Amino acid sequence: MVCKDCASGTVHTGTPTGRVETLHNVPTYITSPSNDTPIKATIIMLPDAFGWEMPNSRLLCDTYAKRVNATVYLPEFQGGYHLPLSVMGDMRDMTAEGGWMIGKIPSVARIVYHMAPYLFNTRFSVTSPRIHAFFTAVRESTSLPLFAAGFCWGGLHAVNLTHATSTTPSGTPLVDAAFTAHPSALTVPGDLEKAEKPSSISNGTKDFVLDMKGVESVKAVFERKNEEKGGKGRFELNVVEGARHGFAVRGNPGDEEEMKQAQVAEDQAVEWFRRWTEEARKG
C-alpha cells in the first residue's frame, strides 16, 4: 500500500549496541542485554518498509533486549528491497503545503522509483517462506520462549506466525506469542480469526491503514476469542489516541506527544513479552 504515513517519519539518532552476523543464512542484527542477567527469551523483529538497517528499529531492538532480558534478532527478510531512509524526506517535500506542484515532481519520481520494486519484491508470497524458514531454524535451536514483533509491513507476518498452520516440520508452533504495531495489509477479520497463539496489537486512532472500523472488528474478534479461551487475556488490543500509522517506530523525537505514543507501544510490547515469558516458565 502506498500512503503518506507508510513512508514518512523521523530517523532517530543514537548508536545501536548490537552486531551484524549471518544467522541461518540471513544477515541479521543481533542484540542482547549488556549485563550478566540470564537470557529469558528470544524476540525476532519483523520491520516496517524501511527494513533491517533503519536505526530506529535497531535501537528498539536494543531496548527490548534490555527490558525483557532477551536476545533480539532483526533479520534482512526483505531481500534488499526496503525503502531508503531518503524517502522520508521526499515524502515530506511531496506532501508539504504550498509551493508549485512542478517543484515536487523530483520527489514524486524518487518515491515511485523506490516504492514500486519494494512493493513487488516484498509481497507476502515472496517473503513468507524465508520468514518461516528463519523462525523454524531459531525455534529448533533454542528452548527459550520465542516471540515475534512486527511493525507495519512486518505486522501481517507477525499475525500469520500465530496461526495454527505456522509450525516447524515436527508440528511445534513457530512462536509462543506475537506483538504488532500498526500492521499493514491485514485481512480483517479473517487474519485475526485464525490467530491461535497469544496476540497483542497496538494501533492509533488516526491510522487509516487499520482504521477505526477495522479496529472495532479486531476488538470483536479478540473479545470472542478471549471468552473461548476462558477470559485469560490471550488476545489484546490497545488503541492509542491521536497516533498515526508508524507511531511506534518513526515518531519525531522532538515532538513530546509522538514520543509518548511510541512509549505506550514500547511498554505494551515489553509487558506482553514479559508476561508470556513467565507463562512459559510456569509451563
Side-chain angles (χ1 to χ4, degrees), residues 38-39 84 97 102 106 181 188 270 275 282:
I39 301 298
E97 295 183 3
I102 193 171
V188 178
V270 167
R275 173 187 171 185
K282 293 177 181 177

Side-chain angles (χ1 to χ4, degrees), residues 82-278:
H82 51 79
L83 298 181
L85 299 180
S86 60
V87 168
M88 293 189 204
D90 287 326
M91 187 62 73
R92 281 193 295 271
D93 293 342
M94 188 188 77
T95 57
E97 295 183 3
W100 294 95
M101 187 60 200
I102 193 171
K104 299 181 179 183
I105 290 176
S107 293
V108 174
R110 285 190 294 268
I111 291 170
V112 173
Y113 175 80
H114 292 297
M115 188 70 74
Y118 158 73
L119 291 172
F120 181 77
N121 289 287
T122 64
R123 62 195 190 278
F124 186 84
S125 61
V126 173
T127 52
S128 181
R130 68 176 68 127
I131 289 170
H132 276 238
F134 188 89
F135 272 82
T136 295
V138 174
R139 174 60 102 186
E140 293 178 340
S141 65
T142 180
S143 60
L144 294 174
L146 177 57
F147 305 121
F151 300 85
C152 305
W153 173 86
L156 173 61
H157 292 282
V159 170
N160 177 265
L161 287 162
T162 69
H163 294 177
T165 53
S166 294
T167 66
T168 67
S170 63
T172 303
L174 291 181
V175 298
D176 293 290
F179 168 82
T180 180
H182 36 80
S184 296
L186 283 179
T187 299
V188 178
D191 287 332
L192 287 310
E193 292 277 6
K194 299 175 185 176
E196 289 294 327
K197 305 303 290 185
S199 304
S200 178
I201 295 177
S202 184
N203 207 73
T205 57
K206 293 185 177 181
D207 190 325
F208 82 93
V209 179
L210 180 60
D211 59 17
M212 290 307 296
K213 181 180 179 181
V215 164
E216 289 303 314
S217 181
V218 173
K219 181 179 178 182
V221 171
F222 278 7
E223 287 178 349
R224 177 176 53 77
K225 292 180 81 68
N226 278 328
E227 290 177 1
E228 294 172 352
K229 300 292 184 179
K232 295 182 179 180
R234 289 168 57 88
F235 300 92
E236 172 185 85
L237 170 66
N238 186 35
V239 182
V240 182
E241 184 64 36
R244 299 180 181 277
H245 190 76
F247 75 94
V249 284
R250 286 181 269 116
N252 182 358
D255 187 311
E256 183 178 356
E257 188 60 28
E258 289 191 12
M259 287 298 93
K260 287 180 179 178
Q261 294 166 352
Q263 191 64 51
V264 168
E266 178 190 313
D267 291 344
Q268 181 180 340
V270 167
E271 291 305 314
W272 191 248
F273 296 142
R274 285 175 176 172
R275 173 187 171 185
W276 293 103
T277 296
E278 182 62 18

